[in-house]
Amino acid sequence: MANLGSSFLERLGNQASGGFNRISRSNPGGGGASEAAEGPQFRAWGEAYGISATTGPLGFFVGDHRQTWGGVAGLGARVAPGVNVGFSVDQSRTAIDVPLALQSATLDLTQLGFNASVDKGPWTWAVALVHGFGRVNSNRDTGQGLATAGYNAQIDGALTELSYYWNIDQSRIVPKAALEYVRASTGSFQEVGGLDPVMASGATVERSRMLIGAEIGHYWIFERKILDLSAYGKFVDNFAQNFGSILVSLGPQSIAVQGIGESQLGADAGASASLSLSNTVRVYLNYDGKFRSALQSHQGTVGVELKW
């Protein structure tokens, strides 16, 4: 669940500091207009996305595969010259399959997000906040029927990012550095049905990480439309992770199971294609990949943005 919160945080951060969004704020027509030629003050966006993530075996954990489908709706505004804010809602469902353990689960998650950015010359400082809540329903095949359980989940996160916009004609290089914190928790549960249903305590996960990288991009103007292509890469350092143990009980017997975290070092990479049909309508496609020693995640997003 922490990775879903991180993905939403980073998408919110990109809404605030992404290179194309940055140039559209300072040059709304894409043709060299000055910042004094103010563009639209408000914007709304909608997105649909899918995520496929696979975690390999690690210790006693046999690995799993997760598929997420979701949608995002957001509203943003320019509240002062160079100052922008936005609010959005992310609703998703994740199907989790642990075939070697004969287990599966679904996570229905709602996330509320806030982002803000301040532009000062070529510099942009952005911040994003997320609060999410959801419900997990699990099934375990015991050989004599299914043992089922339901429990609540919650996630909170924050991200701050500093970027520098380096303009080269219609191309750009945008170095970025960010700090991210995510805390996720799940409630305790008692299985019902099947053979030997178990009880488990709640769990809490905390992760702090640093992301350093850059975005490159280029845009073309044709027939009063703007086509923008970009790509990015980031080095990821999970410098602090706290995965508490879970107490699993079967009758009078109990064992403590240690949580599994990401590898400390990894990389994120992605690409985006954006087409501005007019000064007020834009459609876009994004790809985001996360690469760790025992985890790979791939996300595709299609979105539309309206301004007025």
Side-chain angles (χ1 to χ4, degrees), residues 17-27 119-124 162-176 215 217-219 228:
S17 67
F20 183 79
N21 291 326
R22 175 66 168 82
I23 195 172
S24 66
R25 293 196 296 265
S26 61
N27 185 11
D119 301 327
K120 187 68 173 179
W123 294 94
T124 295
L162 183 65
S163 62
Y164 183 89
Y165 187 93
W166 184 16
N167 184 52
I168 310 171
D169 295 326
Q170 291 179 206
S171 299
R172 64 184 179 274
I173 300 175
V174 189
K176 300 181 179 185
E215 171 193 335
H218 185 86
Y219 71 87
D228 183 89

PDB file of all heavy atoms in Angstrom, residues 17-27 119-124 162-176 215 217-219 228:
ATOM      1  N   SER A  17       5.450  20.370 -10.731  1.00  0.00           N
ATOM      2  CA  SER A  17       6.785  20.779 -11.171  1.00  0.00           C
ATOM      3  C   SER A  17       7.212  20.176 -12.494  1.00  0.00           C
ATOM      4  O   SER A  17       8.343  20.412 -12.933  1.00  0.00           O
ATOM      5  CB  SER A  17       7.827  20.399 -10.098  1.00  0.00           C
ATOM      6  OG  SER A  17       7.932  18.991  -9.990  1.00  0.00           O
ATOM      7  N   GLY A  18       6.361  19.379 -13.141  1.00  0.00           N
ATOM      8  CA  GLY A  18       6.731  18.790 -14.422  1.00  0.00           C
ATOM      9  C   GLY A  18       7.087  19.853 -15.446  1.00  0.00           C
ATOM     10  O   GLY A  18       6.526  20.954 -15.462  1.00  0.00           O
ATOM     11  N   GLY A  19       8.053  19.527 -16.310  1.00  0.00           N
ATOM     12  CA  GLY A  19       8.579  20.526 -17.230  1.00  0.00           C
ATOM     13  C   GLY A  19       7.536  21.145 -18.133  1.00  0.00           C
ATOM     14  O   GLY A  19       7.520  22.368 -18.344  1.00  0.00           O
ATOM     15  N   PHE A  20       6.618  20.328 -18.696  1.00  0.00           N
ATOM     16  CA  PHE A  20       5.624  20.904 -19.591  1.00  0.00           C
ATOM     17  C   PHE A  20       4.647  21.792 -18.816  1.00  0.00           C
ATOM     18  O   PHE A  20       4.266  22.875 -19.276  1.00  0.00           O
ATOM     19  CB  PHE A  20       4.853  19.821 -20.340  1.00  0.00           C
ATOM     20  CG  PHE A  20       3.873  20.389 -21.323  1.00  0.00           C
ATOM     21  CD1 PHE A  20       4.298  20.852 -22.562  1.00  0.00           C
ATOM     22  CD2 PHE A  20       2.529  20.500 -21.007  1.00  0.00           C
ATOM     23  CE1 PHE A  20       3.400  21.407 -23.471  1.00  0.00           C
ATOM     24  CE2 PHE A  20       1.624  21.051 -21.898  1.00  0.00           C
ATOM     25  CZ  PHE A  20       2.061  21.500 -23.139  1.00  0.00           C
ATOM     26  N   ASN A  21       4.237  21.336 -17.617  1.00  0.00           N
ATOM     27  CA  ASN A  21       3.359  22.179 -16.807  1.00  0.00           C
ATOM     28  C   ASN A  21       4.054  23.491 -16.442  1.00  0.00           C
ATOM     29  O   ASN A  21       3.427  24.547 -16.399  1.00  0.00           O
ATOM     30  CB  ASN A  21       2.938  21.431 -15.536  1.00  0.00           C
ATOM     31  CG  ASN A  21       2.023  20.269 -15.829  1.00  0.00           C
ATOM     32  OD1 ASN A  21       1.218  20.323 -16.752  1.00  0.00           O
ATOM     33  ND2 ASN A  21       2.144  19.207 -15.062  1.00  0.00           N
ATOM     34  N   ARG A  22       5.363  23.399 -16.190  1.00  0.00           N
ATOM     35  CA  ARG A  22       6.123  24.600 -15.832  1.00  0.00           C
ATOM     36  C   ARG A  22       6.149  25.595 -16.990  1.00  0.00           C
ATOM     37  O   ARG A  22       5.891  26.791 -16.807  1.00  0.00           O
ATOM     38  CB  ARG A  22       7.544  24.181 -15.441  1.00  0.00           C
ATOM     39  CG  ARG A  22       8.494  25.338 -15.146  1.00  0.00           C
ATOM     40  CD  ARG A  22       8.056  26.101 -13.898  1.00  0.00           C
ATOM     41  NE  ARG A  22       9.075  27.017 -13.446  1.00  0.00           N
ATOM     42  CZ  ARG A  22       9.283  28.234 -13.941  1.00  0.00           C
ATOM     43  NH1 ARG A  22       8.537  28.681 -14.939  1.00  0.00           N
ATOM     44  NH2 ARG A  22      10.224  29.004 -13.444  1.00  0.00           N
ATOM     45  N   ILE A  23       6.429  25.113 -18.211  1.00  0.00           N
ATOM     46  CA  ILE A  23       6.515  26.045 -19.334  1.00  0.00           C
ATOM     47  C   ILE A  23       5.137  26.577 -19.714  1.00  0.00           C
ATOM     48  O   ILE A  23       4.998  27.716 -20.168  1.00  0.00           O
ATOM     49  CB  ILE A  23       7.197  25.377 -20.549  1.00  0.00           C
ATOM     50  CG1 ILE A  23       7.612  26.449 -21.554  1.00  0.00           C
ATOM     51  CG2 ILE A  23       6.291  24.351 -21.219  1.00  0.00           C
ATOM     52  CD1 ILE A  23       8.462  25.924 -22.679  1.00  0.00           C
ATOM     53  N   SER A  24       4.079  25.774 -19.505  1.00  0.00           N
ATOM     54  CA  SER A  24       2.738  26.256 -19.846  1.00  0.00           C
ATOM     55  C   SER A  24       2.288  27.354 -18.894  1.00  0.00           C
ATOM     56  O   SER A  24       1.457  28.196 -19.251  1.00  0.00           O
ATOM     57  CB  SER A  24       1.734  25.091 -19.823  1.00  0.00           C
ATOM     58  OG  SER A  24       1.573  24.575 -18.524  1.00  0.00           O
ATOM     59  N   ARG A  25       2.854  27.357 -17.660  1.00  0.00           N
ATOM     60  CA  ARG A  25       2.514  28.440 -16.732  1.00  0.00           C
ATOM     61  C   ARG A  25       3.220  29.734 -17.115  1.00  0.00           C
ATOM     62  O   ARG A  25       2.645  30.824 -17.036  1.00  0.00           O
ATOM     63  CB  ARG A  25       2.893  28.050 -15.297  1.00  0.00           C
ATOM     64  CG  ARG A  25       2.066  26.917 -14.729  1.00  0.00           C
ATOM     65  CD  ARG A  25       2.216  26.839 -13.219  1.00  0.00           C
ATOM     66  NE  ARG A  25       3.560  26.526 -12.781  1.00  0.00           N
ATOM     67  CZ  ARG A  25       3.989  25.307 -12.488  1.00  0.00           C
ATOM     68  NH1 ARG A  25       3.172  24.283 -12.619  1.00  0.00           N
ATOM     69  NH2 ARG A  25       5.225  25.106 -12.068  1.00  0.00           N
ATOM     70  N   SER A  26       4.506  29.628 -17.535  1.00  0.00           N
ATOM     71  CA  SER A  26       5.264  30.832 -17.840  1.00  0.00           C
ATOM     72  C   SER A  26       5.154  31.257 -19.300  1.00  0.00           C
ATOM     73  O   SER A  26       5.444  32.389 -19.643  1.00  0.00           O
ATOM     74  CB  SER A  26       6.745  30.612 -17.488  1.00  0.00           C
ATOM     75  OG  SER A  26       7.272  29.556 -18.255  1.00  0.00           O
ATOM     76  N   ASN A  27       4.693  30.335 -20.169  1.00  0.00           N
ATOM     77  CA  ASN A  27       4.599  30.611 -21.594  1.00  0.00           C
ATOM     78  C   ASN A  27       3.363  29.906 -22.132  1.00  0.00           C
ATOM     79  O   ASN A  27       3.459  28.904 -22.829  1.00  0.00           O
ATOM     80  CB  ASN A  27       5.867  30.120 -22.307  1.00  0.00           C
ATOM     81  CG  ASN A  27       5.884  30.495 -23.775  1.00  0.00           C
ATOM     82  OD1 ASN A  27       5.071  31.277 -24.235  1.00  0.00           O
ATOM     83  ND2 ASN A  27       6.817  29.903 -24.511  1.00  0.00           N
ATOM     84  N   ASP A 119       6.930  29.240  -8.328  1.00  0.00           N
ATOM     85  CA  ASP A 119       7.920  29.478  -9.379  1.00  0.00           C
ATOM     86  C   ASP A 119       8.662  30.782  -9.087  1.00  0.00           C
ATOM     87  O   ASP A 119       8.034  31.816  -8.826  1.00  0.00           O
ATOM     88  CB  ASP A 119       7.243  29.586 -10.748  1.00  0.00           C
ATOM     89  CG  ASP A 119       6.468  28.335 -11.113  1.00  0.00           C
ATOM     90  OD1 ASP A 119       6.892  27.231 -10.712  1.00  0.00           O
ATOM     91  OD2 ASP A 119       5.425  28.454 -11.790  1.00  0.00           O
ATOM     92  N   LYS A 120       9.987  30.716  -9.132  1.00  0.00           N
ATOM     93  CA  LYS A 120      10.815  31.900  -8.931  1.00  0.00           C
ATOM     94  C   LYS A 120      11.952  31.848  -9.945  1.00  0.00           C
ATOM     95  O   LYS A 120      12.941  31.116  -9.754  1.00  0.00           O
ATOM     96  CB  LYS A 120      11.367  31.933  -7.501  1.00  0.00           C
ATOM     97  CG  LYS A 120      12.100  33.221  -7.154  1.00  0.00           C
ATOM     98  CD  LYS A 120      11.147  34.428  -7.100  1.00  0.00           C
ATOM     99  CE  LYS A 120      11.869  35.659  -6.577  1.00  0.00           C
ATOM    100  NZ  LYS A 120      10.970  36.846  -6.552  1.00  0.00           N
ATOM    101  N   GLY A 121      11.797  32.600 -11.046  1.00  0.00           N
ATOM    102  CA  GLY A 121      12.781  32.494 -12.109  1.00  0.00           C
ATOM    103  C   GLY A 121      12.781  31.076 -12.650  1.00  0.00           C
ATOM    104  O   GLY A 121      11.730  30.491 -12.900  1.00  0.00           O
ATOM    105  N   PRO A 122      13.958  30.460 -12.815  1.00  0.00           N
ATOM    106  CA  PRO A 122      14.011  29.082 -13.312  1.00  0.00           C
ATOM    107  C   PRO A 122      13.757  28.032 -12.231  1.00  0.00           C
ATOM    108  O   PRO A 122      13.699  26.837 -12.532  1.00  0.00           O
ATOM    109  CB  PRO A 122      15.431  28.967 -13.856  1.00  0.00           C
ATOM    110  CG  PRO A 122      16.216  29.909 -12.999  1.00  0.00           C
ATOM    111  CD  PRO A 122      15.295  31.063 -12.701  1.00  0.00           C
ATOM    112  N   TRP A 123      13.622  28.475 -10.974  1.00  0.00           N
ATOM    113  CA  TRP A 123      13.448  27.536  -9.866  1.00  0.00           C
ATOM    114  C   TRP A 123      11.969  27.279  -9.599  1.00  0.00           C
ATOM    115  O   TRP A 123      11.140  28.180  -9.711  1.00  0.00           O
ATOM    116  CB  TRP A 123      14.100  28.076  -8.595  1.00  0.00           C
ATOM    117  CG  TRP A 123      15.585  28.189  -8.663  1.00  0.00           C
ATOM    118  CD1 TRP A 123      16.308  29.296  -9.011  1.00  0.00           C
ATOM    119  CD2 TRP A 123      16.538  27.166  -8.393  1.00  0.00           C
ATOM    120  NE1 TRP A 123      17.651  29.028  -8.967  1.00  0.00           N
ATOM    121  CE2 TRP A 123      17.830  27.718  -8.589  1.00  0.00           C
ATOM    122  CE3 TRP A 123      16.424  25.829  -7.997  1.00  0.00           C
ATOM    123  CZ2 TRP A 123      18.981  26.979  -8.406  1.00  0.00           C
ATOM    124  CZ3 TRP A 123      17.590  25.089  -7.817  1.00  0.00           C
ATOM    125  CH2 TRP A 123      18.844  25.669  -8.018  1.00  0.00           C
ATOM    126  N   THR A 124      11.661  26.037  -9.209  1.00  0.00           N
ATOM    127  CA  THR A 124      10.315  25.695  -8.756  1.00  0.00           C
ATOM    128  C   THR A 124      10.427  24.850  -7.500  1.00  0.00           C
ATOM    129  O   THR A 124      11.175  23.858  -7.460  1.00  0.00           O
ATOM    130  CB  THR A 124       9.534  24.909  -9.823  1.00  0.00           C
ATOM    131  OG1 THR A 124       9.322  25.737 -10.963  1.00  0.00           O
ATOM    132  CG2 THR A 124       8.172  24.476  -9.298  1.00  0.00           C
ATOM    133  N   LEU A 162      12.520  20.241  -5.235  1.00  0.00           N
ATOM    134  CA  LEU A 162      13.106  21.457  -5.788  1.00  0.00           C
ATOM    135  C   LEU A 162      13.633  21.124  -7.182  1.00  0.00           C
ATOM    136  O   LEU A 162      14.340  20.126  -7.378  1.00  0.00           O
ATOM    137  CB  LEU A 162      14.251  21.950  -4.899  1.00  0.00           C
ATOM    138  CG  LEU A 162      14.913  23.270  -5.313  1.00  0.00           C
ATOM    139  CD1 LEU A 162      13.927  24.433  -5.191  1.00  0.00           C
ATOM    140  CD2 LEU A 162      16.161  23.529  -4.472  1.00  0.00           C
ATOM    141  N   SER A 163      13.295  21.964  -8.169  1.00  0.00           N
ATOM    142  CA  SER A 163      13.735  21.719  -9.539  1.00  0.00           C
ATOM    143  C   SER A 163      14.208  23.016 -10.173  1.00  0.00           C
ATOM    144  O   SER A 163      13.838  24.117  -9.757  1.00  0.00           O
ATOM    145  CB  SER A 163      12.597  21.114 -10.370  1.00  0.00           C
ATOM    146  OG  SER A 163      11.492  22.001 -10.444  1.00  0.00           O
ATOM    147  N   TYR A 164      15.035  22.851 -11.202  1.00  0.00           N
ATOM    148  CA  TYR A 164      15.597  23.990 -11.936  1.00  0.00           C
ATOM    149  C   TYR A 164      15.283  23.799 -13.411  1.00  0.00           C
ATOM    150  O   TYR A 164      15.655  22.779 -14.011  1.00  0.00           O
ATOM    151  CB  TYR A 164      17.106  24.090 -11.717  1.00  0.00           C
ATOM    152  CG  TYR A 164      17.750  25.292 -12.385  1.00  0.00           C
ATOM    153  CD1 TYR A 164      17.839  26.505 -11.725  1.00  0.00           C
ATOM    154  CD2 TYR A 164      18.263  25.202 -13.684  1.00  0.00           C
ATOM    155  CE1 TYR A 164      18.429  27.612 -12.331  1.00  0.00           C
ATOM    156  CE2 TYR A 164      18.850  26.295 -14.298  1.00  0.00           C
ATOM    157  CZ  TYR A 164      18.926  27.507 -13.619  1.00  0.00           C
ATOM    158  OH  TYR A 164      19.496  28.594 -14.224  1.00  0.00           O
ATOM    159  N   TYR A 165      14.594  24.777 -14.008  1.00  0.00           N
ATOM    160  CA  TYR A 165      14.177  24.673 -15.400  1.00  0.00           C
ATOM    161  C   TYR A 165      15.226  25.328 -16.295  1.00  0.00           C
ATOM    162  O   TYR A 165      15.431  26.537 -16.256  1.00  0.00           O
ATOM    163  CB  TYR A 165      12.818  25.355 -15.589  1.00  0.00           C
ATOM    164  CG  TYR A 165      12.220  25.154 -16.959  1.00  0.00           C
ATOM    165  CD1 TYR A 165      11.344  24.102 -17.202  1.00  0.00           C
ATOM    166  CD2 TYR A 165      12.531  26.019 -18.006  1.00  0.00           C
ATOM    167  CE1 TYR A 165      10.804  23.917 -18.464  1.00  0.00           C
ATOM    168  CE2 TYR A 165      12.010  25.834 -19.267  1.00  0.00           C
ATOM    169  CZ  TYR A 165      11.144  24.783 -19.489  1.00  0.00           C
ATOM    170  OH  TYR A 165      10.616  24.597 -20.742  1.00  0.00           O
ATOM    171  N   TRP A 166      15.900  24.491 -17.101  1.00  0.00           N
ATOM    172  CA  TRP A 166      16.919  24.959 -18.023  1.00  0.00           C
ATOM    173  C   TRP A 166      16.358  24.885 -19.432  1.00  0.00           C
ATOM    174  O   TRP A 166      16.156  23.806 -19.979  1.00  0.00           O
ATOM    175  CB  TRP A 166      18.185  24.117 -17.882  1.00  0.00           C
ATOM    176  CG  TRP A 166      19.338  24.569 -18.731  1.00  0.00           C
ATOM    177  CD1 TRP A 166      19.478  25.777 -19.355  1.00  0.00           C
ATOM    178  CD2 TRP A 166      20.513  23.812 -19.040  1.00  0.00           C
ATOM    179  NE1 TRP A 166      20.668  25.831 -20.038  1.00  0.00           N
ATOM    180  CE2 TRP A 166      21.328  24.636 -19.859  1.00  0.00           C
ATOM    181  CE3 TRP A 166      20.957  22.546 -18.694  1.00  0.00           C
ATOM    182  CZ2 TRP A 166      22.555  24.216 -20.346  1.00  0.00           C
ATOM    183  CZ3 TRP A 166      22.186  22.119 -19.170  1.00  0.00           C
ATOM    184  CH2 TRP A 166      22.974  22.945 -19.996  1.00  0.00           C
ATOM    185  N   ASN A 167      16.087  26.044 -20.010  1.00  0.00           N
ATOM    186  CA  ASN A 167      15.456  26.137 -21.319  1.00  0.00           C
ATOM    187  C   ASN A 167      16.487  26.252 -22.423  1.00  0.00           C
ATOM    188  O   ASN A 167      17.421  27.049 -22.338  1.00  0.00           O
ATOM    189  CB  ASN A 167      14.514  27.352 -21.348  1.00  0.00           C
ATOM    190  CG  ASN A 167      13.754  27.445 -22.647  1.00  0.00           C
ATOM    191  OD1 ASN A 167      13.138  26.477 -23.071  1.00  0.00           O
ATOM    192  ND2 ASN A 167      13.785  28.610 -23.269  1.00  0.00           N
ATOM    193  N   ILE A 168      16.332  25.424 -23.474  1.00  0.00           N
ATOM    194  CA  ILE A 168      17.213  25.471 -24.645  1.00  0.00           C
ATOM    195  C   ILE A 168      16.310  25.517 -25.874  1.00  0.00           C
ATOM    196  O   ILE A 168      15.893  24.481 -26.389  1.00  0.00           O
ATOM    197  CB  ILE A 168      18.146  24.248 -24.702  1.00  0.00           C
ATOM    198  CG1 ILE A 168      18.848  24.033 -23.357  1.00  0.00           C
ATOM    199  CG2 ILE A 168      19.156  24.392 -25.828  1.00  0.00           C
ATOM    200  CD1 ILE A 168      19.604  22.730 -23.268  1.00  0.00           C
ATOM    201  N   ASP A 169      15.981  26.729 -26.339  1.00  0.00           N
ATOM    202  CA  ASP A 169      15.013  26.905 -27.426  1.00  0.00           C
ATOM    203  C   ASP A 169      13.720  26.179 -27.045  1.00  0.00           C
ATOM    204  O   ASP A 169      13.110  26.517 -26.046  1.00  0.00           O
ATOM    205  CB  ASP A 169      15.588  26.414 -28.756  1.00  0.00           C
ATOM    206  CG  ASP A 169      16.773  27.252 -29.205  1.00  0.00           C
ATOM    207  OD1 ASP A 169      16.747  28.467 -28.933  1.00  0.00           O
ATOM    208  OD2 ASP A 169      17.717  26.707 -29.793  1.00  0.00           O
ATOM    209  N   GLN A 170      13.309  25.162 -27.816  1.00  0.00           N
ATOM    210  CA  GLN A 170      12.077  24.426 -27.503  1.00  0.00           C
ATOM    211  C   GLN A 170      12.367  23.123 -26.757  1.00  0.00           C
ATOM    212  O   GLN A 170      11.474  22.292 -26.610  1.00  0.00           O
ATOM    213  CB  GLN A 170      11.297  24.149 -28.802  1.00  0.00           C
ATOM    214  CG  GLN A 170      10.723  25.414 -29.424  1.00  0.00           C
ATOM    215  CD  GLN A 170       9.969  25.158 -30.719  1.00  0.00           C
ATOM    216  OE1 GLN A 170       9.868  26.049 -31.561  1.00  0.00           O
ATOM    217  NE2 GLN A 170       9.437  23.968 -30.888  1.00  0.00           N
ATOM    218  N   SER A 171      13.575  22.993 -26.269  1.00  0.00           N
ATOM    219  CA  SER A 171      13.951  21.834 -25.457  1.00  0.00           C
ATOM    220  C   SER A 171      14.178  22.274 -24.016  1.00  0.00           C
ATOM    221  O   SER A 171      14.282  23.473 -23.723  1.00  0.00           O
ATOM    222  CB  SER A 171      15.223  21.179 -26.011  1.00  0.00           C
ATOM    223  OG  SER A 171      15.038  20.723 -27.328  1.00  0.00           O
ATOM    224  N   ARG A 172      14.287  21.307 -23.127  1.00  0.00           N
ATOM    225  CA  ARG A 172      14.481  21.622 -21.714  1.00  0.00           C
ATOM    226  C   ARG A 172      15.207  20.474 -21.021  1.00  0.00           C
ATOM    227  O   ARG A 172      15.115  19.310 -21.417  1.00  0.00           O
ATOM    228  CB  ARG A 172      13.139  21.855 -21.008  1.00  0.00           C
ATOM    229  CG  ARG A 172      12.250  20.622 -20.969  1.00  0.00           C
ATOM    230  CD  ARG A 172      10.893  20.924 -20.356  1.00  0.00           C
ATOM    231  NE  ARG A 172      10.019  19.767 -20.327  1.00  0.00           N
ATOM    232  CZ  ARG A 172       9.230  19.381 -21.317  1.00  0.00           C
ATOM    233  NH1 ARG A 172       9.193  20.083 -22.441  1.00  0.00           N
ATOM    234  NH2 ARG A 172       8.472  18.304 -21.199  1.00  0.00           N
ATOM    235  N   ILE A 173      15.937  20.850 -19.994  1.00  0.00           N
ATOM    236  CA  ILE A 173      16.513  19.907 -19.036  1.00  0.00           C
ATOM    237  C   ILE A 173      16.109  20.404 -17.657  1.00  0.00           C
ATOM    238  O   ILE A 173      16.304  21.581 -17.339  1.00  0.00           O
ATOM    239  CB  ILE A 173      18.046  19.825 -19.168  1.00  0.00           C
ATOM    240  CG1 ILE A 173      18.440  19.369 -20.584  1.00  0.00           C
ATOM    241  CG2 ILE A 173      18.615  18.882 -18.119  1.00  0.00           C
ATOM    242  CD1 ILE A 173      19.936  19.374 -20.817  1.00  0.00           C
ATOM    243  N   VAL A 174      15.520  19.514 -16.857  1.00  0.00           N
ATOM    244  CA  VAL A 174      14.998  19.924 -15.545  1.00  0.00           C
ATOM    245  C   VAL A 174      15.573  19.001 -14.473  1.00  0.00           C
ATOM    246  O   VAL A 174      15.012  17.937 -14.177  1.00  0.00           O
ATOM    247  CB  VAL A 174      13.450  19.872 -15.512  1.00  0.00           C
ATOM    248  CG1 VAL A 174      12.935  20.507 -14.217  1.00  0.00           C
ATOM    249  CG2 VAL A 174      12.858  20.580 -16.729  1.00  0.00           C
ATOM    250  N   PRO A 175      16.715  19.350 -13.855  1.00  0.00           N
ATOM    251  CA  PRO A 175      17.210  18.571 -12.710  1.00  0.00           C
ATOM    252  C   PRO A 175      16.256  18.719 -11.522  1.00  0.00           C
ATOM    253  O   PRO A 175      15.689  19.801 -11.297  1.00  0.00           O
ATOM    254  CB  PRO A 175      18.575  19.204 -12.417  1.00  0.00           C
ATOM    255  CG  PRO A 175      18.916  19.995 -13.643  1.00  0.00           C
ATOM    256  CD  PRO A 175      17.618  20.444 -14.228  1.00  0.00           C
ATOM    257  N   LYS A 176      16.102  17.619 -10.758  1.00  0.00           N
ATOM    258  CA  LYS A 176      15.165  17.631  -9.634  1.00  0.00           C
ATOM    259  C   LYS A 176      15.763  16.872  -8.457  1.00  0.00           C
ATOM    260  O   LYS A 176      16.508  15.909  -8.643  1.00  0.00           O
ATOM    261  CB  LYS A 176      13.842  16.951 -10.023  1.00  0.00           C
ATOM    262  CG  LYS A 176      13.110  17.592 -11.184  1.00  0.00           C
ATOM    263  CD  LYS A 176      11.804  16.860 -11.476  1.00  0.00           C
ATOM    264  CE  LYS A 176      11.043  17.505 -12.624  1.00  0.00           C
ATOM    265  NZ  LYS A 176       9.725  16.861 -12.837  1.00  0.00           N
ATOM    266  N   GLU A 215      14.607  15.503 -15.825  1.00  0.00           N
ATOM    267  CA  GLU A 215      13.676  15.328 -16.936  1.00  0.00           C
ATOM    268  C   GLU A 215      14.250  16.034 -18.158  1.00  0.00           C
ATOM    269  O   GLU A 215      14.835  17.114 -18.040  1.00  0.00           O
ATOM    270  CB  GLU A 215      12.321  15.942 -16.581  1.00  0.00           C
ATOM    271  CG  GLU A 215      11.334  15.999 -17.738  1.00  0.00           C
ATOM    272  CD  GLU A 215      10.136  16.891 -17.433  1.00  0.00           C
ATOM    273  OE1 GLU A 215       9.810  17.078 -16.244  1.00  0.00           O
ATOM    274  OE2 GLU A 215       9.530  17.413 -18.393  1.00  0.00           O
ATOM    275  N   GLY A 217      13.029  17.137 -22.250  1.00  0.00           N
ATOM    276  CA  GLY A 217      11.842  17.217 -23.084  1.00  0.00           C
ATOM    277  C   GLY A 217      12.010  18.176 -24.240  1.00  0.00           C
ATOM    278  O   GLY A 217      12.942  18.996 -24.270  1.00  0.00           O
ATOM    279  N   HIS A 218      11.091  18.075 -25.187  1.00  0.00           N
ATOM    280  CA  HIS A 218      11.084  18.956 -26.353  1.00  0.00           C
ATOM    281  C   HIS A 218       9.647  19.083 -26.836  1.00  0.00           C
ATOM    282  O   HIS A 218       8.870  18.132 -26.765  1.00  0.00           O
ATOM    283  CB  HIS A 218      11.955  18.379 -27.472  1.00  0.00           C
ATOM    284  CG  HIS A 218      12.085  19.288 -28.658  1.00  0.00           C
ATOM    285  ND1 HIS A 218      13.043  20.278 -28.731  1.00  0.00           N
ATOM    286  CD2 HIS A 218      11.358  19.391 -29.806  1.00  0.00           C
ATOM    287  CE1 HIS A 218      12.920  20.927 -29.882  1.00  0.00           C
ATOM    288  NE2 HIS A 218      11.897  20.400 -30.549  1.00  0.00           N
ATOM    289  N   TYR A 219       9.294  20.301 -27.300  1.00  0.00           N
ATOM    290  CA  TYR A 219       7.943  20.475 -27.843  1.00  0.00           C
ATOM    291  C   TYR A 219       8.000  21.051 -29.248  1.00  0.00           C
ATOM    292  O   TYR A 219       8.951  21.726 -29.642  1.00  0.00           O
ATOM    293  CB  TYR A 219       7.081  21.338 -26.916  1.00  0.00           C
ATOM    294  CG  TYR A 219       7.435  22.802 -26.859  1.00  0.00           C
ATOM    295  CD1 TYR A 219       6.895  23.714 -27.769  1.00  0.00           C
ATOM    296  CD2 TYR A 219       8.278  23.296 -25.866  1.00  0.00           C
ATOM    297  CE1 TYR A 219       7.208  25.066 -27.709  1.00  0.00           C
ATOM    298  CE2 TYR A 219       8.601  24.642 -25.793  1.00  0.00           C
ATOM    299  CZ  TYR A 219       8.065  25.520 -26.725  1.00  0.00           C
ATOM    300  OH  TYR A 219       8.377  26.847 -26.668  1.00  0.00           O
ATOM    301  N   ASP A 228       4.310  17.681 -27.054  1.00  0.00           N
ATOM    302  CA  ASP A 228       5.450  17.659 -26.135  1.00  0.00           C
ATOM    303  C   ASP A 228       5.801  16.220 -25.802  1.00  0.00           C
ATOM    304  O   ASP A 228       4.929  15.420 -25.438  1.00  0.00           O
ATOM    305  CB  ASP A 228       5.117  18.424 -24.853  1.00  0.00           C
ATOM    306  CG  ASP A 228       6.298  18.482 -23.907  1.00  0.00           C
ATOM    307  OD1 ASP A 228       7.095  19.416 -24.028  1.00  0.00           O
ATOM    308  OD2 ASP A 228       6.423  17.580 -23.040  1.00  0.00           O
TER     309      ASP A 228
END
